[in-house]
Amino acid sequence: MTDLRMEVGEIPHLADFTFHKTLEDVDFEGVPVRGLAADFYRRPVGDRVLSVGVYRFGGSETHRAWGWVGEAHCSWHAYRDPGSGGFDGPLAGCPLLRVLFDGDRARGFELGSGSPARRFLVDPEDGVVAGAVTARPVR
């Protein structure tokens, strides 16, 4: 029998999963973030289904979150390190994500906290170009 806890605590290898769906302008606590998209993948593990969300902003992966279908929150997450292309994590629970506002409009989001925190902002000069949001990570 596979130790499910160990398996969930590893960064998922997408080759082991089947594509499920894509969401555009993903929302957090009811606030849609323009340009934040997520691809979701699934894989049966025993009598449960493991799901992983791969989040992208401006075409670049920002983070992954995974856990069991039907549970309210993520079991694990990892932030993509823009410098190395590797991951920071896995870390237990849902990713720390804070929507950044300009007045009442979402301008981007911040992932993590402290010195490894990363900000992703919609570029106010370029905005939306052919349906793609121009984004830049800001440290």
Side-chain angles (χ1 to χ4, degrees), residues 25-50:
D25 299 333
V26 174
D27 71 88
F28 285 89
E29 298 181 7
V31 178
V33 179
R34 188 174 50 129
L36 179 61
D39 296 323
F40 292 92
Y41 300 84
R42 290 185 171 183
R43 168 169 87 94
V45 178
D47 62 349
R48 302 175 83 184
V49 177
L50 186 61

Side-chain angles (χ1 to χ4, degrees), residues 64-135:
R64 292 184 184 184
W66 61 97
W68 302 107
V69 169
E71 292 189 356
H73 297 285
C74 310
S75 297
W76 297 90
H77 68 279
Y79 304 118
R80 180 64 89 173
D81 182 328
S84 71
F87 288 97
D88 294 328
L91 306 166
C94 294
L96 179 58
L97 187 144
R98 183 172 63 95
V99 177
L100 303 172
F101 289 94
D102 181 9
D104 61 354
R105 185 174 143 252
R107 284 272 293 120
F109 60 97
E110 182 174 74
L111 281 175
S113 64
S115 62
R118 297 175 184 98
R119 285 186 171 193
F120 298 87
L121 304 173
V122 173
D123 191 328
E125 293 178 17
D126 293 336
V128 177
V129 179
V133 174
T134 302

